[in-house]
Structure formats: structure tokens, C-alpha cells
Amino acid sequence: MYVVSYLLPLLLFIPHISLHELFTSIQDLKSSVYIESDMVKALKTYLSGEAVRIDKLKRFLNEVDSIRHSDRLDDSTEDYLDNPINAFYMIRRLHITWEGIIASTLTLENYKDFLSRIRTPIISKKEDFEGALDAILRLQRVYNLTIEDIVVGNIWGNIAYQPLCPQNCRVIGERALQIGYFNQAQKWLQYVVNLNARNNDNDTYDMDLDESLAYSYFFNGNWVAALEKIQSILNEGDPLRFTRMNQLKHQALMNHQEGKEGIVMNRPWDDPVYHKLCRGQQEIQQPSSDSSSMYCKYTHGGSFVLLLQPYKMEVLRMDPLIALYYDVISDKEIGVIKTLAVPKMATSVTIGKDGIQTPSTDIRVSKGAWLKDEENVVVRRVDKRIEYLTGLSTLEPDHAEQLQVVNYGIGGQYDPHYDFKKDVGEDKNMVDYIHASQNRIATWMFYLSDVDAGGYTAFTAIKTIVKPIKNAAVFWWNLLPSGERDYRTLHAACPVLLGSKWVANKWIHNGGQEFRRPCNLAPDKGDT
């Protein structure tokens, strides 16, 4: 199906190849669609003068061309990439197949002409492919997707162009085994085995598949099934597997006799309450202690500048305060902010030990950029609007941080976290990366796009969700009026199930707000 017989040496001859983490940002993956378009056109030209290996190349070309033509991919890029299975195939083609196609021209005379027709290709990396696999597994767990729906690409009614083939199902199962999702690994690998048995198809079956399934049974604590599978492998008489399978058999027998359970690898987003919040299940949401005080109104935030142009505000929760402002940023302003941010996009980082900022594509799957208010009049304007509506100073860098623009990729999410700074003594994984006397008193987050499914902002401690609505913004306090940290503000960005999510964060510091938000000495008293 795919031409993969020629390996990577030709890549050394390609100038200006930029390797990006495509899966962390839909924006980068969107750019790759147009690059693939150039690749298709160049390959068509190349094939017209080449007779060698024509059958394999044409087979691949016809497949990709059919996908692009049927889905009008050049005209509806975002619609196509909304479905995570389509996005997975896009990365797979770039990571595996197109590299093979390009490399296969090494021995052909007109390969330089072929390469000259390709516009600065973005070849995806191994990390992109693995990231796409991890995203599928994450979406399956959080949104309770069935393997059957994922295989046919039916993501809440959005159908992918092509289903997952048995080989890709196997790759997903083996990836789940590799990263410790043993229950999912068992289900995916068993699905492949059952599929092969039903179709009498041995293309994806070998002893390695049986061995992977045996290990998934073992780590799940399914001792009987593990012992049966291990024995069937031993019966094949493969000397290369004999020692390790006998060791595994011995350990499984001991664990079974001792009544041991399997290994459960939980992630922060494996909390069932978090899953239900992300799925928007209203019955799990916890009402405010004073729901009668929740309301909608037009507000100018106490600023005379907005007296004649107030904004719509909905109080989603009173204590702690979570307020949603509607139509608070225009489409034109969003366009300018995105245009400024895209060239600066880099994989989002988290703060680790010793203050080292490290890209983390497990905790946080996204790309971000920082915009100073002095860069553009639009950035200054939206910063001042935040100041008018909240009554807080947004002066950079003394009273607030730069505007952070973020785009979430395939299954993009951010694990439950706090926006405020913790003391090093409280959490050795967090450091004093904000000025010693400062902390994030409040968060303002613009929603720069709608999200077709998923992508909620979930406050897990208080069981409250905010749905992303383009042109809106959500605001909450991270600190109590006393200056103490409000641990009820633990929140997460739920994985994006369908579509692409853009947000812009403005973190406001407590310094400079002394007369704008007076202190209250009662440590547990919130705003009224």
C-alpha cells in the first residue's frame, strides 16, 4: 500500500528541511496540508518522465490524491483536520510514507528536478507519530470512545475519510503497551487478533503480536489468559523467545498463586470526575453555594471608558468567582493576534525542578507564543480592555505578564494545574519563576475559536466547566482577598476531541493591585 522500501539518505540532500512537532499544534499541521499539496503536484510531474517503480508510486499517489480530491482538502483544511483520525493519517503519511517516496528517488536521474518542485517540506518526526498515537489513546479514555468507533473514524458523528487498517490498530495497541496503558493495550491487541481470525488475514499477525498480547495480559493481572498465551508461544518452539517467555510464565504463576493484581498507570487526567466534566455531563457539576446570586448583566467594570459600550457578563459561579464575558474580542482582533503569534509558536513548556522550563507533550499538548503589548496596537487595546473590565492594572511587566497565545494540537490538553505560584517548600517541582514578591492574582483567558467537541476549561475541585466560545473570555481569581492561594481554582484544559482550540491568556500579578483589590484578612473569605 505504501512505498517504504527506500530509506532516509536523500533527506540529507534536501535544503532547509524544518522538523516541527506537528501534533502539538493544529496550526503547524494545517501548514503541512499545503506542503503535501506541493508534494502531490511535484510527484505527478516526476512520474510523467519516469518508468521505474511506476506501479508502487502510482498506487500511493492515487490513494493520497483520492483522499484530497474527495474531501476537497486544499479548500477545507480545517474541516478535514477536525477529525483526529484524519490528522493521524496526515502525520503518518508525512512521517513514514512521504519520506520513503522522497528517498526512493535517490537512484533516479531526475530526482533533483522533483525536489526542486517541493516547497520547503516539513517532514514530521517520530515524536509527531507517537504524539498522534498518544492523542488517540487519551481521547479514547477521556471521552469513553469505543475501539469500533475509532477504527471507522466515527468521532461523535464526524466521520474520517478512511478507517484505521489492522496494522494501524496494532501500532496503537503496541504504543499503549509501551507507555503503560495496559488495559487499552490488551483491548486493541485483542481486537487485531480477533479481526485477523475473522477475516483469515495473516498480514498483521506474527509471533511478536502474540508476545505483545501476552505482556498486556500479564501487566493487567489477567494471569490465566497470560499463561495460556505464553504457553502457546512456547509451543511454537522459537529458541529466541524461550528464555524470556519462561521467565514471564514463572512470574505469572507466582503472581497468580499470591493473588496479586495488575499494574494500573494513572495519569492526572484519569480521574473519573475529570472525564465526566470534559464530556459535559451536567449532573456531575457542583452548584455554587449561593446559586441564587448567579446572574447575567451588561458591565463596564466601573470604567467610564466603557460606559457607552458595556459588555455582556455571565457569572457562572459566585464563590470562587468565575465570570464569562461575551463578544469581548472581535474577529478582526483575533485575526491580528493569531498572525502575530504564529511565527513565534513553540511547544508549550512547564516549570520543572530547579526552575528549568521544559517542553512537556504529556502534561501539556499545545504550542504557544508571547506577545508584548508594545508590539501592536491591537495587543495594547485588548490589554486595556481587560484592565477596564476587571479594574486591575495590566501594566507589563510589573503588574502583568505578556499575552500568551496558545493553539492546542491533536487531542490537545493541559493536565489539572494551578495558575498561581507555589512556594518552593510546598512543591519542589515549582520554582519562583515570578518575582519573589509577586504572584498571579487573577487569570483572564480569551477564547479565540469555537471548538466542535471537547476543549472545555474544567475546574475539577469545584466541578465546574466553561465551554470555549469564540470572542468570549473567562475570568477568575487565583488568590483570595487575603492574598492566600485559592486551591479551589485547580483547573485543566480538556482534550480537544474535534476541531482546533485557540486561547490567549493574560496573567495578572498581585503587585500594583493594592488599591484596586483591597485585602481582606479573613483567609477563607472570597470576593462578594
Side-chain angles (χ1 to χ4, degrees):
M1 186 175 184
Y2 297 105
V3 181
V4 292
S5 55
Y6 301 92
L7 301 177
L8 303 177
L10 186 62
L11 295 177
L12 299 176
F13 295 91
I14 302 178
H16 310 302
I17 288 187
S18 55
L19 297 175
H20 295 290
E21 287 180 338
L22 299 180
F23 78 97
T24 58
S25 172
I26 292 296
Q27 177 63 33
D28 282 342
L29 190 55
K30 178 181 175 182
S31 300
S32 70
V33 172
Y34 302 111
I35 291 188
E36 187 183 43
S37 177
D38 284 353
M39 291 179 173
V40 170
K41 294 174 185 176
L43 188 56
K44 286 181 179 179
T45 303
Y46 171 78
L47 282 174
S48 65
E50 194 58 53
V52 181
R53 295 183 294 275
I54 199 72
D55 290 337
K56 290 183 178 179
L57 290 172
K58 275 189 173 180
R59 212 176 318 153
F60 170 73
L61 175 63
N62 290 338
E63 179 182 333
V64 178
D65 206 23
S66 173
I67 293 172
R68 302 183 67 89
H69 177 73
S70 298
D71 268 16
R72 295 176 297 174
L73 189 49
D74 291 319
D75 300 324
S76 57
T77 299
E78 292 184 359
D79 291 342
Y80 179 80
L81 295 178
D82 279 352
N83 189 298
I85 304 303
N86 289 338
F88 164 78
Y89 268 115
M90 185 78 219
I91 287 181
R92 177 181 167 80
R93 290 202 301 271
L94 290 174
H95 173 58
I96 296 176
T97 317
W98 273 109
E99 283 192 359
I101 288 290
I102 293 173
S104 72
T105 65
L106 179 60
T107 59
L108 305 179
E109 295 180 359
N110 62 337
Y111 82 95
K112 290 183 180 180
D113 177 65
F114 169 66
L115 294 180
S116 68
R117 296 175 182 272
I118 298 178
R119 173 184 57 184
T120 313
I122 298 179
I123 303 299
S124 69
K125 299 184 293 184
K126 178 183 178 182
E127 288 81 359
D128 291 311
F129 188 55
E130 291 177 345
L133 294 172
D134 295 349
I136 291 174
L137 292 167
R138 185 185 309 115
L139 293 173
Q140 181 186 11
R141 291 166 75 96
V142 173
Y143 294 104
N144 201 24
L145 304 176
T146 66
I147 289 179
E148 290 74 17
D149 278 344
I150 295 174
V151 168
V152 300
N154 181 5
I155 309 300
W156 285 15
N158 185 301
I159 309 298
Y161 176 78
Q162 60 183 135
L164 291 174
C165 65
Q167 180 60 41
N168 284 329
C169 293
R170 175 175 175 174
V171 170
I172 293 173
E174 290 173 342
R175 176 61 179 173
L177 183 63
Q178 178 185 3
I179 61 179
Y181 297 153
F182 303 123
N183 186 45
Q184 283 177 283
Q186 177 182 316
K187 291 178 180 178
W188 277 99
L189 295 172
Q190 188 64 63
Y191 177 86
V192 175
V193 170
N194 294 343
L195 192 65
N196 289 339
R198 269 199 318 270
N199 299 334
N200 196 23
D201 180 10
N202 293 321
D203 286 347
T204 56
Y205 175 79
D206 53 38
M207 292 300 294
D208 287 337
L209 175 60
D210 270 353
E211 188 169 335
S212 294
L213 187 56
Y215 274 107
S216 72
Y217 287 145
F218 177 87
F219 288 120
N220 266 321
N222 194 345
W223 310 122
V224 174
L227 289 167
E228 290 178 357
K229 181 58 68 175
I230 292 168
Q231 190 58 53
S232 71
I233 295 172
L234 289 172
N235 291 342
E236 294 292 328
D238 185 346
L240 296 178
R241 305 177 196 273
F242 181 80
T243 299
R244 65 173 177 268
M245 285 296 100
N246 263 315
Q247 290 175 340
L248 192 66
K249 179 181 178 180
H250 174 70
Q251 189 63 54
L253 280 169
M254 288 185 59
N255 292 349
H256 185 39
Q257 292 169 0
E258 295 172 5
K260 289 187 177 180
E261 297 182 353
I263 299 174
V264 178
M265 302 282 286
N266 285 323
R267 303 301 195 270
W269 41 265
D270 281 329
D271 178 15
V273 172
Y274 172 54
H275 290 187
K276 291 179 180 179
L277 287 171
C278 287
R279 293 197 290 267
Q281 293 181 221
Q282 299 296 324
E283 66 273 11
I284 195 64
Q285 295 185 57
Q286 178 178 315
S288 173
S289 58
D290 186 12
S291 57
S292 62
S293 299
M294 299 171 65
Y295 57 89
C296 298
K297 71 172 185 177
Y298 280 92
T299 180
H300 50 72
S303 171
F304 71 91
V305 177
L306 301 180
L307 279 175
L308 300 180
Q309 189 184 355
Y311 289 91
K312 292 177 285 186
M313 181 184 76
E314 179 183 2
V315 175
L316 302 177
R317 189 179 180 90
M318 289 298 300
D319 187 21
L321 176 68
I322 300 175
L324 187 64
Y325 294 79
Y326 292 90
D327 299 317
V328 76
I329 186 170
S330 70
D331 287 346
K332 185 176 180 180
E333 289 170 332
I334 289 173
V336 171
I337 288 172
K338 282 186 178 181
T339 300
L340 292 171
V342 166
K344 301 180 179 184
M345 286 286 190
T347 301
S348 298
V349 300
T350 56
I351 307 298
K353 294 181 179 180
D354 302 322
I356 298 175
Q357 293 189 356
T358 56
S360 177
T361 52
D362 183 23
I363 297 173
R364 191 177 192 181
V365 183
S366 64
K367 284 193 173 183
W370 297 87
L371 301 180
K372 297 180 180 179
D373 60 8
E374 62 189 32
E375 289 187 45
N376 188 279
V377 63
V378 170
V379 181
R380 288 197 298 274
R381 186 192 307 150
V382 297
D383 274 359
K384 291 302 291 184
R385 192 173 301 147
I386 296 170
E387 183 169 318
Y388 295 148
L389 286 169
T390 63
L392 300 173
S393 172
T394 58
L395 178 67
E396 298 175 5
D398 296 333
H399 302 163
E401 297 169 45
Q402 299 171 21
L403 190 69
Q404 185 199 44
V405 183
V406 179
N407 177 228
Y408 290 89
I410 304 170
Q413 56 92 41
Y414 192 178
D415 281 353
H417 63 282
Y418 301 104
D419 282 354
F420 56 69
K421 173 191 66 176
K422 291 184 180 181
D423 289 335
V424 176
E426 290 181 5
D427 186 349
K428 295 188 180 349
N429 292 326
M430 200 62 143
V431 296
D432 196 7
Y433 62 96
I434 302 174
H435 189 275
S437 63
Q438 301 289 309
N439 208 336
R440 290 171 173 170
I441 191 174
T443 296
W444 178 283
M445 183 166 64
F446 288 110
Y447 292 116
L448 306 183
S449 67
D450 290 313
V451 180
D452 294 335
Y456 291 173
T457 304
F459 292 83
T460 54
I462 55 176
K463 300 178 182 177
T464 300
I465 57 174
V466 184
K467 181 180 179 180
I469 300 174
K470 187 179 180 182
N471 310 114
V474 62
F475 171 83
W476 68 90
W477 298 105
N478 296 307
L479 305 181
L480 294 165
S482 64
E484 297 293 321
R485 300 164 183 84
D486 192 343
Y487 289 93
R488 297 173 299 174
T489 61
L490 181 69
H491 63 284
C494 293
V496 175
L497 181 59
L498 290 170
S500 175
K501 180 182 177 182
W502 285 84
V503 300
N505 298 301
K506 188 71 175 181
W507 286 297
I508 304 170
H509 296 173
N510 53 348
Q513 319 299 344
E514 292 83 357
F515 299 103
R516 295 170 180 259
R517 192 204 192 196
C519 289
N520 187 315
L521 296 182
D524 59 347
K525 184 176 177 60
D527 292 89
T528 57

